[in-house]
Structures are given as C-alpha cells and as structure tokens.
Amino acid sequence: MGPRVTSFYKLITCNHPINTYINFRKDNMEYATKELERIANALEEVLRLVKEDQQRTKKYLEKEKS
C-alpha cells in the first residue's frame, strides 16, 4: 500500500507518535524539495536549448535572406 500505511503503522505503534509523524513529514518535504529542484533544472535546460535553437534559426534565416 505504500509509505502511508507503513508510516501510519509506525505512528500508532511507536512510543512517541508525534515525533514519528513530524519526522515522516520532514522526510516527505525533503523528497518533494529534491523533486522540485530536479524539475526546475530540467525546465531550465529545456529553455536553454530552445533559446539556442532560436538563435541558430535566426542566423540561418538571415543568411537565407541575403
């Protein structure tokens, strides 16, 4: 069933359920942050490639007009 079931089980069976819940949330936030950084880096790379292609296309069209 995934991490929620496991984490819920840990939450109800642990001596300090609040600390377990806080640690679980912290781990999920760290994972989400890493994933968002990965997505942002990929988008930056796509934009860089698009701009590079636009510059090449512009140069090519200028040469064609000449």
Side-chain angles (χ1 to χ4, degrees), residues 4-17:
R4 289 183 183 212
V5 172
T6 303
S7 297
F8 182 72
Y9 176 75
K10 286 180 184 178
L11 184 66
I12 62 174
T13 59
C14 132
N15 291 333
H16 304 286

Side-chain angles (χ1 to χ4, degrees), residues 10-25:
K10 286 180 184 178
L11 184 66
I12 62 174
T13 59
C14 132
N15 291 333
H16 304 286
I18 299 301
N19 289 339
T20 300
Y21 179 73
I22 290 169
N23 288 335
F24 172 71
R25 296 285 296 188

Side-chain angles (χ1 to χ4, degrees), residues 7-66:
S7 297
F8 182 72
Y9 176 75
K10 286 180 184 178
L11 184 66
I12 62 174
T13 59
C14 132
N15 291 333
H16 304 286
I18 299 301
N19 289 339
T20 300
Y21 179 73
I22 290 169
N23 288 335
F24 172 71
R25 296 285 296 188
K26 183 180 175 188
D27 291 344
N28 281 349
M29 289 298 290
E30 289 172 1
Y31 175 77
T33 300
K34 288 177 185 177
E35 287 299 300
L36 288 173
E37 286 176 9
R38 185 182 65 79
I39 292 167
N41 291 338
L43 289 172
E44 285 178 0
E45 179 66 10
V46 168
L47 289 173
R48 185 187 70 75
L49 292 171
V50 167
K51 287 178 183 178
E52 192 177 286
D53 184 59
Q54 286 176 335
Q55 291 172 351
R56 278 197 309 261
T57 302
K58 184 178 178 181
K59 287 179 185 177
Y60 172 78
L61 291 175
E62 287 174 354
K63 286 181 182 178
E64 287 293 313
K65 285 182 182 178
S66 301

